[in-house]
Amino acid sequence: MTSPVFPLVPARVFKRRSFIAGSASLALAALGCERAFGAVKSSPKFSSYPFTLGVASGDPAPDGMVLWTRLAPKPLEGGGMDPVPVEVSWQVAEDEGMTQVVRQGTAIATPEWGHSVHVEVAGLRPNRWYWYQFKAGGEVSPKARTRTFPSADTLPDRLRFAVASCQHYETGLFTAYDHMAREDLDLVIHLGDYIYEYAGIENRVRFHTGPEITTLDHYRNRHAQYKTDPALQAMHAIAPWLVTWDDHEFDNNCASDISEEPGVSKEDFLLRRAAAYQAYYEHMPLRRSAMPKGPDMLLYRKVGYGRLTDFHVLDTRQYRSDQPCGDRTQPPCAESLHPDRSLLGSLQRDWLFEGLAKSSSTWNVLAQQVMMARVDRKAGEEITHSMDQWPGCEMERRRVLKYLHDQRISNPVVLTGDIHSHWANDLIADFDDLESKVVATEFVGTSISSSGDGILKPKTLDATYAENPFVKFHGTERGYFSCEVTPQQWKTDYKGIEYVSRPGAPLHTRASFIVESGTPGLQQA
């Protein structure tokens, strides 16, 4: 039986000073586990079907992965569960009919963690597909497919994955996932803005329930509303996911413990962050190493796909410096050029550099949130950059690119979300010298639905290309991009959706690029 896991500070008694004390005692957590075992319901009765949020898997390894679900018979009303622990059984099989079961067990869904379940399966064979399913009481979850990754010492022939971000529920349908589900993918990477925190606005495509979310119950209900989307559920059931957050899982343009809004105390902001982080963990297929402790959550990690690809999954929100120069798109200022400014924080940056130095993979991928290329957003002699992106921490941006170059990191590729538009960028050594050598490649993906219906060619497209010759493609439709990686080359296809305001939008491949192994620089496919 898998031991239940408790938040170190129970959600209903979380006080303002709790995170300072650290919610500190593992002994108390263990005691809570023992108490939960004494009250577990092994044959619960539900008011309605409890698996309304579907199932998901994530963080695959050569011998297993995380399996996730959450019991929520009333998903938009806090879940609708009695406040008691519930036994949930799970099975992993080699066939879709679930007749060749190779692993099975039970887990405890506790009210302290929203009756979510995170099962870390181990002991499976590498580099193959499996099916899984949950059961609670007399109810059975949908079946879903997942996979293990190749062994660390093997060089796979191919990896195919898609990259998604920014899925505002109100501003559009998740049609992109309908199309993504038809691709032959090994993995989905989500780079953040899985939910949006804003209050509902009338006369949009769909409507957020509740106010702007600030409490644990608010965040749980908002995650649940997104998870009820059938296209999103279906995509989770097809392949494992790697997830990281951006800002809207918590609060727009959040920067460490600093709100974008004046007058918000650090204490209140961290209380809200603790609620946001707990709800995020409760709804994502993440390992126990990512369990939040109050307002802190360790999300950055490395996931390897044999010797073909190392994914360095980053967090550019929790540890970052506040946005400089008024947090707008504007010319560089003294603050943006200060050497101590950071998006990663020193610990994460050191971890990244150490992981890159030790990597023996053909491709080294930074899966992160905000654009690294220093794009000039204004035509003419004046130069402007987004201060929420890497140019707002310009010296660290240069330091990362210098490290990739000087240490001869094998085939660095940066995957980016955040800005609701497609970009294909050569990352050059010196953006003050536009003829300088290419160090790495950046693929930026547009939004699934955020910003609503888009257009293929924005009005500023010609000026963008003229000011930024390292930008090889830019478009502002909704969609995603998919990648096929082999030992010899990387190929990315930019997918565009014509509209998200109504169902049935067709999918188009708007651009395709290749990067040859050992030769940085984008080539049109």
Side-chain angles (χ1 to χ4, degrees), residues 387-405:
M387 293 300 147
D388 186 52
Q389 298 171 9
W390 279 90
C393 298
E394 176 62 15
M395 294 300 105
E396 185 178 54
R397 191 191 67 78
R398 296 183 189 185
R399 183 175 178 180
V400 170
L401 291 179
K402 186 176 188 302
Y403 187 88
L404 296 176
H405 174 264

Side-chain angles (χ1 to χ4, degrees), residues 221-239:
N221 288 341
R222 186 61 54 82
H223 273 281
Q225 183 174 28
Y226 279 58
K227 274 286 201 290
T228 58
D229 182 273
L232 179 59
Q233 277 197 25
M235 197 61 237
H236 271 296
I238 287 172

Side-chain angles (χ1 to χ4, degrees), residues 72 86 151 178 212 241 266 276 289 293-294 314 340 444 461 487 507 523:
V86 173
S151 299
D178 291 328
E212 177 164 344
W241 287 42
K266 181 180 296 187
S289 58
K293 297 176 177 62
L314 304 183
D340 292 340
V444 183
L461 185 62
L507 179 75
Q523 304 174 41

Side-chain angles (χ1 to χ4, degrees), residues 52-53 75-76 166-172 174 177 190 193-199 204 206-209 213 218-234 236 248-249 283-284 448-450:
T52 56
L53 307 184
L76 304 186
C166 305
Q167 51 192 44
H168 197 307
Y169 186 84
E170 287 195 322
T171 59
F174 295 171
Y177 286 127
H190 199 287
D193 293 347
Y194 191 98
I195 65 166
Y196 280 72
E197 77 278 23
Y198 303 124
R204 286 183 161 181
R206 298 188 283 191
F207 186 73
H208 276 159
T209 59
I213 53 178
H218 289 165
Y219 281 103
R220 282 173 171 169
N221 288 341
R222 186 61 54 82
H223 273 281
Q225 183 174 28
Y226 279 58
K227 274 286 201 290
T228 58
D229 182 273
L232 179 59
Q233 277 197 25
H236 271 296
H248 290 288
E249 288 87 353
H283 290 85
M284 295 296 153
I448 294 291
S449 60
S450 301

